[in-house]
Amino acid sequence: MADLLEPLCRLGSQVVERIWRLGYASRFFVAVLLNSGAALRRYPLTLREIWFSGVLSLIIILVSGLFVGLVLGMQGYEILQRYGSAEQLGTMVALSLLRELGPVVAALLFASRAGSAITAEIGLMKATEQLKAMDMMAVDPVARVVVPRFWGGVISMPLLAAMFSSMGIFGGWLIGVVVIGVDDGSFWSQMQSAVDFRYDVWNGILKSLVFGVAVSLIAVFEGYDSAPTAEGVSRAITRTVVTSALAILALDFVLTSFMFRGTS
Amino acid sequence: MAGPDELGRPGVPFPLPMSCDNLVQIDNLQFDYGGKPVLQGINMRIPRGKVVAIMGGSGCGKTTLLRCIGGQLRPSAGQVRVDGAVVNEMSQAQIYALRRRMGMLFQFGALFTDLSVFDNVAFPLREHTDLPEDLVRDLVLMKLQAVGLRGARDLMPNSLSGGMARRVALARAVALDPALIMYDEPFTGLDPISLGVIGQLIRRLNDALGATSIMVTHDIQESLLIVDYIYFISGGRVVAEGTPEEIRHSTDPFVHQFVQAEADGPVPFHMPAPPFAQELMGGARG
Ligand SMILES: Nc1ncnc2c1ncn2[C@@H]1O[C@H](COP(=O)(O)OP(=O)(O)O)[C@@H](O)[C@H]1O
Ligand SMILES: [Mg+2]
């Protein structure tokens, strides 16, 4: 009997633990939002974080965007020319990037480049008692450390996704038009007539904004909640990357099912 | 002190300073971490203008006590009064207001690793005052001069030695000219020279600022040189107290063990365990 119950008990306690953490994370999110006003008025702090998480992620975003675009160009051409519609290549590359690959892949890269760095930084500040020291100096660590990093990430994310998509479209053009020889004029004109600003571009931006909130929140929360040891910080970093990836993909499914229902 | 001293005076020969001249007054303070009792009824008086040491073995709750005084931890029973106000009944805003008049030196300095030495010391000034930048600069340089590290202002904390980091943290702790300065083990991990330097600084800063200092430590020899009064904590209680002179001549077994650095005494060398022979035999059979 006890043997039977034990896995059940463990499952139960894990579920309770997860729910408890989710509740804790929600309260933390509320605290971040409540502290945002005052902290954002000191915008140099947030600018600094945009520099760290945004600008320093730029290289990896641009390079990845280019490669994704190159692959899209090759694969897209290969498929489209079977149906004799290779001139639609621009449309296909642009829509894939703007709707899906741009926001999703940029967010995944952002989580592993900037999200992990944010978690590590906050976790180490906690482990070395810097957060406690700040609190003893009557400075709220949530307002001073967490909020600027959160908003830095939220603001950077859509911009990075836009760069990723632009670079990808350039990559698709490079392969399709320059290397393979698709007609330059139809590549761009087909793209322009098929892409709707509100439906495609705006929804893509909205997606990356949601991902930005999710990844930034996970990153600051895991750092703030990490066990104050070297091992605790490293586990928190792993959790940031894994949880962010899952959150991005799950949210993408939910958002896509609301945004793009094939009605247009 | 617990027992009579060598002059035959009964215990507690030095009457507790009871007047309102105590900046900090702790009554029957109790604290536990999730059911594990750490502090079990601490009574202390910290007179204004004095440097008071709190001594005890590692893990006896010294840091916990400081964090109760600073309002970071709420005691399960008892009272902490700072300047007449009960800390454990204050709102967060009141505690923050109180902490602006407190400075604390953390055990390992806790300097902000992403800020330079200068910016670390400037941090409390920039957060809590609207002073113009050139005034901040002058104040920071004054504090750094006081700890002898004006030349290190542009260094980053990770390029400082342990003693230098401690001094920078000290300059940061006194940046707002606090009324109460708390030191958490300011001597750990320092070579004898840095140790003496920090000790002298603690005394000098306290007197120059007209502040009151609480120093948590287990370095008895250095403390005897610089402090006005010493409390010994063991098992969550104050087990002995007195001026350095009284401590030196104390016959209290606990104080004696501490001052002479003996391995065994009232503080046992062994963690409680079944008799060794029995365990060896048990191990052989099992
Ligand atoms: N966050 C915590 N949770 C549980 N126990 C703790 C925590 N912090 C400290 N303790 C325990 O409380 C006791 C006192 O800790 P502390 O005040 O840091 O001791 P000291 O500073 O005198 O070395 C120790 O036994 C320690 O293990
Ligand atoms: Mg300690």
Side-chain angles (χ1 to χ4, degrees):
Chain A
M1 190 65 194
D3 289 354
L4 239 150
L5 276 180
E6 214 217 81
L8 215 64
C9 287
R10 226 180 308 138
L11 185 74
S13 76
Q14 283 216 351
V15 169
V16 169
E17 160 89 23
R18 291 283 149 82
I19 293 176
W20 188 86
R21 251 178 87 81
L22 201 64
Y24 185 48
S26 318
R27 271 178 48 195
F28 183 77
F29 187 35
V30 172
V32 168
L33 293 182
L34 287 180
N35 278 297
S36 288
L40 285 179
R41 243 172 281 137
R42 296 176 60 189
Y43 61 90
L45 292 178
T46 307
L47 279 184
R48 193 186 117 103
E49 299 310 326
I50 293 176
W51 165 261
F52 273 116
S53 52
V55 179
L56 298 184
S57 304
L58 207 53
I59 295 289
I60 183 175
I61 290 281
L62 292 180
V63 171
S64 311
L66 181 66
F67 279 116
V68 167
L70 293 174
V71 171
L72 264 183
M74 280 191 272
Q75 294 279 18
Y77 177 78
E78 200 271 332
I79 294 171
L80 289 172
Q81 56 104 29
R82 286 190 210 168
Y83 307 103
S85 44
E87 75 280 3
Q88 291 289 353
L89 184 64
T91 311
M92 196 204 123
V93 169
L95 285 183
S96 323
L97 281 163
L98 291 172
R99 287 180 173 192
E100 288 298 333
L101 291 173
V104 171
V105 179
L108 290 172
L109 291 170
F110 182 74
S112 44
R113 169 64 179 80
S116 59
I118 290 173
T119 305
E121 202 183 5
I122 298 180
L124 284 173
M125 288 184 83
K126 184 176 180 187
T128 53
E129 297 197 314
Q130 294 179 48
L131 297 184
K132 269 185 207 162
M134 198 176 273
D135 188 47
M136 270 308 292
M137 286 186 247
V139 176
D140 184 358
V142 171
R144 181 63 172 69
V145 173
V146 171
V147 168
R149 284 169 175 74
F150 173 77
W151 285 107
V154 172
I155 295 169
S156 304
M157 190 65 262
L159 300 174
L160 290 172
M163 308 253 187
F164 185 96
S165 295
S166 317
M167 207 58 195
I169 290 169
F170 171 69
W173 173 82
L174 215 58
I175 282 288
V177 174
V178 177
V179 178
I180 300 176
V182 175
D183 181 53
D184 197 10
S186 59
F187 183 92
W188 292 112
S189 66
Q190 295 284 350
M191 186 194 299
Q192 278 169 11
S193 63
V195 174
D196 181 70
F197 181 78
R198 221 193 64 75
Y199 192 66
D200 300 310
V201 178
W202 178 240
N203 276 339
I205 293 174
L206 213 60
K207 268 189 180 179
S208 62
L209 206 62
V210 173
F211 298 160
V213 172
V215 173
S216 307
L217 180 66
I218 290 169
V220 291
F221 175 72
E222 290 293 355
Y224 199 77
D225 187 47
S226 65
T229 58
E231 192 201 3
V233 175
S234 95
R235 256 189 282 147
I237 297 170
T238 309
R239 273 204 303 273
T240 292
V241 176
V242 173
T243 317
S244 296
L246 287 176
I248 291 163
L249 296 173
L251 281 170
D252 185 46
F253 169 69
V254 174
L255 290 173
T256 303
S257 62
F258 277 104
M259 289 171 169
F260 306 102
R261 296 192 188 179
T263 45
S264 75
Chain B
M1 272 175 287
D5 64 9
E6 76 272 49
L7 295 177
R9 291 178 298 186
V12 197
F14 192 80
L16 287 179
M18 288 298 288
S19 65
C20 62
D21 284 339
N22 296 322
L23 183 64
V24 181
Q25 180 170 341
I26 299 171
D27 292 301
N28 187 32
L29 178 69
Q30 298 181 23
F31 185 88
D32 50 84
Y33 279 112
K36 177 186 161 206
V38 176
L39 305 176
Q40 312 182 36
I42 299 265
N43 293 295
M44 272 183 197
R45 307 282 181 270
I46 315 286
R48 277 179 213 275
K50 304 290 187 205
V51 179
V52 174
I54 299 174
M55 313 206 114
S58 297
C60 75
K62 303 183 297 293
T63 303
T64 308
L65 178 59
L66 285 189
R67 297 185 63 204
C68 285
I69 298 173
Q72 274 190 329
L73 296 173
R74 299 227 171 210
S76 47
Q79 270 189 344
V80 178
R81 285 169 187 272
V82 176
D83 212 0
V86 181
V87 176
N88 45 302
E89 288 169 4
M90 288 181 176
S91 68
Q92 190 64 21
Q94 286 172 317
I95 287 181
Y96 267 13
L98 176 70
R99 284 188 196 154
R100 291 182 190 203
R101 299 193 293 127
M102 289 182 178
M104 179 150 169
L105 180 71
F106 276 72
Q107 196 158 350
F108 297 103
L111 292 175
F112 301 129
T113 37
D114 56 339
L115 300 179
S116 68
V117 164
F118 182 94
D119 290 332
N120 261 285
V121 181
F123 184 89
L125 296 165
R126 288 181 177 147
E127 291 292 325
H128 293 311
T129 67
D130 290 322
L131 297 177
E133 194 54 28
D134 50 344
L135 198 52
V136 168
R137 192 188 112 92
D138 293 349
L139 286 170
V140 170
L141 292 184
M142 262 169 60
K143 302 296 175 190
L144 283 174
Q145 174 75 6
V147 299
L149 287 177
R150 197 163 42 85
R153 73 187 112 165
D154 295 324
L155 297 180
M156 292 306 279
N158 55 16
S159 57
L160 299 177
S161 72
M164 282 159 81
R166 212 67 62 86
R167 276 146 77 188
V168 174
L170 189 49
R172 186 181 67 178
V174 298
L176 289 170
D177 292 347
L180 174 65
I181 316 175
M182 297 191 279
Y183 302 92
D184 192 356
E185 309 210 4
F187 303 127
T188 18
L190 296 186
D191 58 86
I193 296 175
S194 313
L195 194 148
V197 167
I198 296 276
Q200 292 308 314
L201 270 175
I202 289 174
R203 183 77 239 184
R204 276 218 330 262
L205 281 172
N206 186 74
D207 297 345
L209 294 171
T212 305
S213 301
I214 305 176
M215 184 173 85
V216 150
T217 176
H218 40 229
D219 191 305
I220 179 84
Q221 301 307 336
E222 185 63 29
S223 310
L224 286 173
L225 295 178
I226 60 167
V227 305
D228 301 305
Y229 203 76
I230 301 177
Y231 285 97
F232 286 90
I233 299 185
S234 180
R237 291 171 200 282
V238 174
V239 293
E241 60 184 283
T243 60
E245 195 54 27
E246 290 168 325
I247 294 298
R248 278 202 194 90
H249 300 118
S250 169
T251 51
D252 182 280
F254 180 85
V255 174
H256 191 260
Q257 182 187 2
F258 219 95
V259 175
Q260 304 304 324
E262 288 163 358
D264 217 352
V267 178
F269 171 69
H270 291 290
M271 207 176 161
F276 196 34
Q278 182 190 327
E279 198 148 33
L280 288 177
M281 300 301 288
R285 260 183 269 118

